[in-house]
Amino acid sequence: QVQLVESGGGLVQAGGSLSLSCAASGSLVSINGMGWHRQDPGKQRELVARITSSGSTIYADSVKGRFTISRDNTKNTVYLQMNSLKAEDTAVYYCNAVVVVSTTGLTRVYWGQGTQVTVSS
């Protein structure tokens, strides 16, 4: 079994910054893509940013230029630096990872428990 443990998040004023991290641990061979999603109550979960094992990234249009995703493969950890935060960034943020769980190449997707980010205007 693999666990994703998130940290960071909290309350910040509009224009401020927050940093999230998500560490994977457990029975894994390697990790392919890692990413961050967010979900506001009553809305669908949406992709915020994603990063491949080689470092290629994609971002939602709403966060381009403000958020930066990165990862440390030696620590199986993905980060999300969030700058110039807006009230509409308020949501529960979830990390996920496509984990290689066996030497045959079998992969599974795991999710973190979620961390609340609240931006006050």
Side-chain angles (χ1 to χ4, degrees), residues 58-75:
I58 60 170
Y59 294 91
D61 288 343
S62 59
V63 307
K64 282 180 181 177
R66 300 187 298 120
F67 290 12
T68 302
I69 188 171
S70 61
R71 65 189 282 175
D72 184 337
N73 292 332
T74 65
K75 297 180 180 179

Side-chain angles (χ1 to χ4, degrees), residues 35-116:
W36 291 93
H37 292 67
R38 65 188 181 187
Q39 187 169 21
D40 221 3
K43 297 183 180 179
Q44 286 190 331
R45 189 172 296 187
E46 62 175 3
L47 173 69
V48 175
R50 182 181 297 153
I51 185 169
T52 68
S53 57
S54 60
S56 296
T57 59
I58 60 170
Y59 294 91
D61 288 343
S62 59
V63 307
K64 282 180 181 177
R66 300 187 298 120
F67 290 12
T68 302
I69 188 171
S70 61
R71 65 189 282 175
D72 184 337
N73 292 332
T74 65
K75 297 180 180 179
N76 291 330
T77 300
V78 63
Y79 306 94
L80 185 68
Q81 177 64 41
M82 304 182 290
N83 299 327
S84 302
L85 282 160
K86 305 175 182 179
E88 50 264 42
D89 295 318
T90 296
V92 178
Y93 283 69
Y94 298 89
C95 69
N96 79 331
V98 180
V99 178
V100 180
V101 296
S102 78
T103 54
T104 64
L106 177 67
T107 61
R108 290 181 178 162
V109 179
Y110 292 92
W111 290 85
Q113 78 283 3
T115 185
Q116 178 69 47

